[in-house]
Amino acid sequence: GEIAATQEQRKTKEGRTSPVERIGRGAFIPSKAAEQVKNGNTENVLNYLRTQAKNKLHRAIAQVIANLKIKTKIEYVQSLPNGRLAEYDPKTDTIYVTAEGLTDSILLHEFVHAATVKVLDQYEKGNLKGLSEDQIEAAEMLEELMDRAKEDLGSRYPDAFENIFEFVSYALTDRFFQEDLAGIRLSETNRVLNTPIFPTILPDVKSAWSSFMTGVLKLLRLEEHTSELQSRLHLVCRLL
């Protein structure tokens, strides 16, 4: 199926919402797990994803997110603008999900967005005590990547470069923005951005998109996991 974004998305202060459009991806979650979404029980939803999701790699990614102890709220809604199935709102730190958005892949995509924003928010506020050196380096890399991408895409996506939260939101929610990032080849002289953690795993390892994914992997402390898991995270994040 296709997960994509529209240019008319609702904006928030710290970053735009993370939308999923009409066609979902993956099988629907069991009714008991769906009830946890409807009850607004984020912890139980994450517990389902990390212990019972059908794909073992999804379970592993959910476990890493659970380890971050995010406080994100989850809310079941009848519908969302433009027919979206789910979205994450960074301003309220809330995941909104419709009936058609109740799949492992869609829920995990929104949780990845929420977890990424959580770590970046901690970094931006200077609260570095709870962050690893790799997470701090990843946040710095994403800021540098944002500045580099702005040179090519700033006029086309001005809102995407207002701050790091907007940049991450666009990169995780806008299929066209992802494609344009993949088209940016990074300079051989750019040491930070041109040194991927796993050069044999992601395609276009010298593109801005692959560097973005490297940053997300490090932020979520997934860089030491298997290449199979890293590739699965890439699929969860990419809006195909």
Side-chain angles (χ1 to χ4, degrees):
E2 179 181 355
I3 297 180
T6 67
Q7 298 294 335
E8 296 80 25
Q9 297 175 61
R10 177 162 52 88
K11 295 291 191 63
T12 68
K13 182 178 179 182
E14 291 184 294
R16 67 179 186 171
T17 53
S18 173
V20 179
E21 278 191 348
R22 300 196 67 84
I23 302 174
R25 182 167 62 180
F28 286 106
I29 62 177
S31 58
K32 287 185 178 180
E35 283 302 313
Q36 298 306 316
V37 174
K38 294 176 182 178
N39 292 336
N41 195 321
T42 303
E43 183 178 358
N44 283 354
V45 175
L46 261 180
N47 281 340
Y48 157 74
L49 287 171
R50 71 183 183 83
T51 62
Q52 299 179 52
K54 292 183 179 181
N55 188 299
K56 67 178 182 179
L57 300 174
H58 287 176
R59 295 196 296 270
I61 294 170
Q63 179 64 62
V64 170
I65 294 172
N67 291 344
L68 292 173
K69 301 186 184 304
I70 62 175
K71 304 296 184 181
T72 301
K73 299 177 288 293
I74 194 165
E75 185 175 328
Y76 179 80
V77 294
Q78 293 299 318
S79 63
L80 288 166
N82 300 312
R84 295 193 293 270
L85 306 185
E87 67 182 19
Y88 171 66
D89 183 346
K91 184 178 180 180
T92 60
D93 193 17
T94 303
I95 294 171
Y96 297 98
V97 190
T98 67
E100 290 182 319
L102 294 173
T103 75
D104 289 352
S105 296
I106 290 175
L107 287 171
L108 197 56
H109 180 97
E110 304 306 336
F111 274 115
V112 167
H113 189 171
T116 301
V117 167
K118 175 188 183 297
V119 177
L120 283 173
D121 185 59
Q122 193 172 338
Y123 169 80
E124 289 292 317
K125 289 178 178 177
N127 184 14
L128 307 182
K129 186 175 180 180
L131 301 179
S132 69
E133 289 185 10
D134 278 345
Q135 286 176 310
I136 294 171
E137 181 182 326
E140 292 171 346
M141 185 181 80
L142 287 173
E143 287 187 330
E144 186 173 344
L145 178 63
M146 178 179 69
D147 292 340
R148 170 62 186 87
K150 186 177 181 179
E151 296 174 11
D152 287 18
L153 305 178
S155 60
R156 195 179 311 169
Y157 304 92
D159 293 340
F161 299 98
E162 288 183 5
N163 55 53
I164 190 64
F165 300 104
E166 290 283 357
F167 177 68
V168 167
S169 291
Y170 267 78
L172 286 174
T173 66
D174 192 312
R175 177 166 53 90
F176 301 105
F177 190 65
Q178 289 185 352
E179 290 174 355
D180 286 340
L181 286 177
I184 296 177
R185 298 292 169 168
L186 300 176
S187 169
E188 294 289 346
T189 61
N190 193 327
R191 182 186 59 79
V192 176
L193 298 181
N194 204 33
T195 310
I197 301 303
F198 42 95
T200 61
I201 297 170
L202 295 184
D204 300 322
V205 296
K206 294 180 181 179
S207 76
W209 167 252
S210 290
S211 290
F212 173 79
M213 281 306 307
T214 295
V216 171
L217 283 163
K218 293 187 73 173
L219 278 181
L220 301 185
R221 309 187 78 164
L222 282 163
E223 73 276 7
E224 294 181 359
H225 287 258
T226 65
S227 60
E228 187 182 21
L229 184 143
Q230 294 170 351
S231 296
R232 174 57 58 169
L233 181 69
H234 176 261
L235 291 177
V236 167
C237 291
R238 190 72 189 258
L239 304 174
L240 301 174

